[in-house]
Amino acid sequence: MIVDWRRIVVRLRPPDVATYLRSRNWTRIGDYGDGAGSLWIYRNRNGEEAEILLPEDRELRDYVQRIRELIKTLEIVENRPAEAIVYDMIKK
């Protein structure tokens, strides 16, 4: 399936994504850059870790790319399709 990331990103607000991450046991571990983003980490039961960067400013040139990478990482960690993850982010 081809995903229209630009259409999706318009609906995703960084605070909503952060709320979703917290609800899925991700932990914010710090800022990235001059407040342009935040770093998050997830540890599963086996001690394996995943890390993501959540862009905080929708005006960043690479905002769409960073959100896309974030969702791809969540797909792997959660073993769920991007569409389901994005739907859950939007409805929160």
Side-chain angles (χ1 to χ4, degrees), residues 13-15 17 35-38 53-58 60 62-67 70:
R13 297 177 327 123
V17 177
S38 54
L53 168 63
L54 170 59
E56 302 287 346
D57 182 354
R58 293 163 121 184
L60 294 171
D62 64 347
Y63 182 77
V64 171
Q65 177 184 345
R66 297 293 167 220
I67 290 292
L70 181 148

Side-chain angles (χ1 to χ4, degrees), residues 27-41:
T27 303
R28 187 175 190 269
I29 59 172
D31 293 328
Y32 181 81
D34 295 331
S38 54
L39 296 172
W40 295 74
I41 193 166

